[in-house]
Amino acid sequence: MKGRLLIVDDDTAHLSMLETLLKSLSYAIECVQDGVDAIRQVQKMPYDLVLMDVRMANVGGMEALKEIKHLNPAIPVIIMTAYSSVDKAVEAMRLGADDYLTKPLNFEELKLSIERVTKHLQLSLENSQLKAQLLSEGDFSGILGTSPAIKEVIDTAKIAAPTDATILISGESGTGKELFAKAIHKNSKRKENPLISVNCAALSETLLESELFGHEKGAFTGADKPRDGLFISADRGTIFLDEIGEVPLSMQVKLLRVLQEKEIQKVGSDKVKNIDVRVIVATNKDLEKEVEKGAFRQDLFYRLNVINVKVPPLRDRADDIPLLAQKFLNKYAKENKKDIKGFTPMAMDALVKYSWPGNVRELENIIERAIILCLGQYICEKDLPSNVLKDYEPENLVRQQLTVGGKTLDEIESIALIETLRQTKGNKTEAARILNITRTTLNNKLKRHNLDLDKILPATP
């Protein structure tokens, strides 16, 4: 069973049709014919979704929506109406509706709407499945995600972890590169020995050399006693050099020698010491471009780039956002001693649609902020910062969906299909992904609108 749905409609035939169709999709269905009965049912029973008509005899859909959202703001509500109106749609969204559909319902669109607004219900199941998967496949438990983008990177890291190969972890700031370094070390044969982390960007050239290689007494002002460096501390273990792209060229020469010769020389000493250290580095820069600019040594780049683990930005793994958001909610709700159960569907939808320039680190900071500001049991969109919501204002969303320059919904859909297929140069799989529909649905819509792909795409010269 996918979930428990409550259908509210005073049209008996329409109610029966919806019940039959949605039962065929493995939902548990209950039906009532008035808003007052819907409110009573929500008071008695936890539902995963309410699908409700606007016009009913005693208590209408808008009034019932307001009361249902007051009782439990986390219940997704989809409003149905035979009388399409932008103002009504805007009002429904402002009252907390998660979608607004016009009768007669397109069943494919209804299925997509239900799947979208109930996506958060899969979180607990995915979380359990992911934990079981990670336990069976190795200790990468600090890296959450089931999207193809992150799974591919995890698979690469798992293959490389047991070896002694030098690893270059690349990716934008905030994507979790250090988490990968820690996971690789935990899954290596060196896991019983130290993992030493160094932020190369935080140290001057002189300090960086001394920190990495150590120094003799009197090697420079303030060196009042000899000191072993971090490479020696990491002997038989792993050293993680973060922000490797910030290392000055003169230091890059010395790092290259360490990697090639497996030996170090303290500052102020003419003796060399052999070491046994695995090296993992990370950068948010494109090192190949840095090589072209002369800012990074080509020979060092080749020596570091034995295995390249490219961590994707959060915008390329949006399917993982609910899982990550729930992880941070659990963490910060506990730290702040708050009883917060989850997110309202609109809040979660806003998080999924945001572009996340600061990646996972930004998501964590925003969830921590929302936990502090939240006064109820569910994080609502009002608990999220304005930059996350700037493209998610209900009125803007509804007006974009229902009207463009006075065009009908069919005309808008046709335009969306044409422009998306032109954008993807006729790639139907990619177009279906962008439009959030299946390829079969895309083909059906092309037939319904009588759209020919050869006529949509520009002629090849």
Side-chain angles (χ1 to χ4, degrees), residues 217-317:
K217 181 179 179 180
F220 51 84
T221 303
D224 54 355
K225 58 183 177 181
R227 180 184 175 188
D228 287 339
L230 295 176
F231 267 97
I232 292 177
S233 300
D235 198 34
R236 292 188 296 175
T238 305
I239 192 165
F240 172 54
L241 304 178
D242 199 7
E243 303 297 350
I244 191 69
E246 302 298 332
V247 173
L249 283 167
S250 57
M251 268 297 293
Q252 292 177 26
V253 177
K254 295 170 183 175
L255 276 175
L256 180 61
R257 178 184 174 186
V258 172
L259 291 169
Q260 289 178 335
E261 307 298 333
K262 304 292 184 184
E263 61 184 26
I264 62 161
Q265 187 173 350
K266 288 185 177 183
V267 178
S269 173
D270 57 0
K271 296 179 181 179
V272 296
K273 180 178 176 60
N274 293 327
I275 54 166
D276 175 19
V277 177
R278 186 196 198 160
V279 177
I280 301 175
V281 302
T283 181
N284 59 11
K285 292 185 173 183
D286 185 332
L287 290 188
E288 289 188 85
K289 288 185 178 178
E290 294 298 300
V291 169
E292 290 174 8
K293 292 191 298 184
F296 202 85
R297 291 181 63 94
Q298 187 178 56
D299 48 6
L300 178 59
F301 169 68
Y302 290 143
R303 191 64 188 80
L304 294 173
N305 195 36
V306 177
I307 302 291
N308 193 342
V309 174
K310 294 184 178 181
V311 185
L314 189 54
R315 62 182 172 276
D316 289 349
R317 45 179 297 216

Side-chain angles (χ1 to χ4, degrees), residues 113-308:
S113 179
I114 291 173
E115 288 169 5
R116 181 181 66 82
V117 301
T118 59
K119 191 173 184 180
H120 65 292
L121 298 174
Q122 303 301 317
L123 194 59
S124 297
L125 177 60
E126 287 177 2
N127 204 355
S128 300
Q129 291 173 339
L130 184 61
K131 284 180 179 177
Q133 173 191 343
L134 292 172
L135 285 171
S136 65
E137 295 184 5
D139 188 6
F140 276 74
S141 55
I143 304 167
L144 293 184
T146 57
S147 65
I150 199 66
K151 285 176 74 175
E152 182 179 350
V153 182
I154 291 172
D155 288 343
T156 301
K158 284 178 179 176
I159 293 168
T163 73
D164 271 340
T166 302
I167 295 180
L168 169 61
I169 305 174
S170 57
E172 296 176 9
S173 294
T175 50
K177 297 187 290 295
E178 187 169 1
L179 284 178
F180 270 93
K182 290 178 178 178
I184 289 167
H185 176 71
K186 282 183 181 179
N187 286 271
S188 75
K189 60 187 179 183
R190 299 172 179 266
K191 62 184 176 182
E192 302 301 327
N193 297 309
L195 168 66
I196 304 294
S197 297
V198 187
N199 184 351
C200 298
L203 299 169
S204 67
E205 182 176 350
T206 303
L207 285 176
L208 182 60
E209 184 176 5
S210 173
E211 283 291 311
L212 292 179
F213 308 139
H215 61 257
E216 296 292 354
K217 181 179 179 180
F220 51 84
T221 303
D224 54 355
K225 58 183 177 181
R227 180 184 175 188
D228 287 339
L230 295 176
F231 267 97
I232 292 177
S233 300
D235 198 34
R236 292 188 296 175
T238 305
I239 192 165
F240 172 54
L241 304 178
D242 199 7
E243 303 297 350
I244 191 69
E246 302 298 332
V247 173
L249 283 167
S250 57
M251 268 297 293
Q252 292 177 26
V253 177
K254 295 170 183 175
L255 276 175
L256 180 61
R257 178 184 174 186
V258 172
L259 291 169
Q260 289 178 335
E261 307 298 333
K262 304 292 184 184
E263 61 184 26
I264 62 161
Q265 187 173 350
K266 288 185 177 183
V267 178
S269 173
D270 57 0
K271 296 179 181 179
V272 296
K273 180 178 176 60
N274 293 327
I275 54 166
D276 175 19
V277 177
R278 186 196 198 160
V279 177
I280 301 175
V281 302
T283 181
N284 59 11
K285 292 185 173 183
D286 185 332
L287 290 188
E288 289 188 85
K289 288 185 178 178
E290 294 298 300
V291 169
E292 290 174 8
K293 292 191 298 184
F296 202 85
R297 291 181 63 94
Q298 187 178 56
D299 48 6
L300 178 59
F301 169 68
Y302 290 143
R303 191 64 188 80
L304 294 173
N305 195 36
V306 177
I307 302 291
N308 193 342

Side-chain angles (χ1 to χ4, degrees), residues 320-355:
D320 295 331
I321 289 172
L323 191 63
L324 291 164
Q326 189 65 43
K327 171 192 172 183
F328 297 137
L329 183 146
N330 294 341
K331 174 183 176 181
Y332 291 110
K334 183 177 180 181
E335 284 186 10
N336 290 277
K337 296 180 173 58
K338 285 199 167 187
D339 181 22
I340 298 178
K341 293 180 168 47
F343 302 84
T344 65
M346 287 186 72
M348 182 57 74
D349 207 31
L351 292 174
V352 170
K353 284 182 167 62
Y354 181 53
S355 60

Side-chain angles (χ1 to χ4, degrees), residues 80-92:
M80 306 178 290
T81 180
Y83 308 93
S84 177
S85 159
V86 172
D87 291 338
K88 277 289 184 187
V90 170
E91 182 187 354

Side-chain angles (χ1 to χ4, degrees), residues 62-97:
M62 292 299 192
E63 188 179 345
L65 167 64
K66 188 175 181 180
E67 184 60 28
I68 287 169
K69 283 293 182 177
H70 176 72
L71 290 168
N72 185 350
I75 296 179
V77 179
I78 297 175
I79 292 292
M80 306 178 290
T81 180
Y83 308 93
S84 177
S85 159
V86 172
D87 291 338
K88 277 289 184 187
V90 170
E91 182 187 354
M93 299 293 273
R94 282 179 173 161
L95 288 173

